[in-house]
Amino acid sequence: MNSARNLFNRKSGGNVGRSMLVASLSVAAIATSVTGAYFTDSDAPTGSGFTTGDVNLALSASTAIVANANMAPGDVEYGTVTVSNSGSLELRYALKSVTTENVLAAQLDLTVWDESAEADVGTDCSTTVPATTLYAAADLGSTTGVKVFGDAATGAQAGDRTLAATASEVLCFKASLPSSTGNSFESLTTTATFTFDSEQTANNA
């Protein structure tokens, strides 16, 4: 009786052991199968594209804005330049005048104004200077530079001119040698380089 019980237990134990092993393998197989069967997917909206704008200041003048090779006391010269923003961003700009010497440059008087300030608004500058000017009868420039209007420093500065994208404006220049100019100014030569500096206005206080 005991022998039969022991034999039964051994067989039962052996069967249980095999059942556990099989069950263990089955679990492993199921786990592997489930992991390999995960469905995945991904999607993305249409690409978010970016294009930077540009700042492009263009001038109509390809030669000297105003000049006289044989100036006498009392002479006055006029010039015109169209300033255009051919870029895609609004810009602000400033004007600086640097001359090759200081003596005659200080004697010559420069006046600059916006043509739209004239009474007869058009595209041509009048010889009649309007009441409002951008630079009124002051030195033509200097070797270290004279700020005609605005400031090339980054950010908004007093006197800066603002132009929207594709906009333009006409600036008028008048250079005069006072009739009171004496002999000490004979045979002098000076050349002024007008530099227009521009920058974007967006996010640039």
Side-chain angles (χ1 to χ4, degrees):
M1 187 70 174
N2 290 338
S3 298
R5 185 183 297 113
N6 290 339
L7 178 60
F8 177 80
N9 288 339
R10 281 198 297 270
K11 288 181 66 178
S12 177
N15 289 335
V16 171
R18 282 193 296 273
S19 295
M20 290 180 65
L21 179 60
V22 171
S24 178
L25 288 174
S26 297
V27 170
I30 291 171
T32 301
S33 176
V34 170
T35 301
Y38 280 160
F39 293 133
T40 61
D41 187 21
S42 64
D43 196 4
T46 302
S48 300
F50 297 90
T51 301
T52 56
D54 66 332
V55 169
N56 191 348
L57 189 74
L59 304 176
S60 63
S62 57
T63 57
I65 296 175
V66 58
N68 188 326
N70 193 32
M71 206 165 193
D75 279 354
V76 180
E77 296 295 329
Y78 296 90
T80 301
V81 62
T82 300
V83 183
S84 303
N85 179 0
S86 58
S88 62
L89 298 174
E90 181 183 77
L91 61 77
R92 67 171 66 95
Y93 73 95
L95 175 59
K96 184 178 182 179
S97 175
V98 178
T99 56
T100 53
E101 57 82 71
N102 291 322
V103 179
L104 182 56
Q107 183 66 11
L108 284 163
D109 291 328
L110 174 68
T111 305
V112 180
W113 65 93
D114 180 355
E115 196 276 335
S116 66
E118 296 178 352
D120 59 337
V121 178
T123 57
D124 297 323
C125 291
S126 169
T127 56
T128 301
V129 179
T132 302
T133 61
L134 303 178
Y135 186 74
D139 293 353
L140 175 67
S142 72
T143 55
T144 55
V146 167
K147 296 174 184 176
V148 178
F149 58 75
D151 193 316
T154 301
Q157 308 294 330
D160 285 348
R161 303 286 295 170
T162 302
L163 274 181
T166 73
S168 63
E169 63 182 6
V170 177
L171 299 185
C172 305
F173 287 69
K174 174 185 176 182
S176 60
L177 185 62
S179 55
S180 59
T181 301
N183 292 338
S184 60
F185 293 97
E186 285 185 327
S187 301
L188 296 182
T189 298
T190 191
T191 299
T193 298
F194 297 114
T195 301
F196 295 76
D197 290 295
S198 65
E199 64 181 358
Q200 71 185 60
T201 58
N203 308 311
N204 187 14

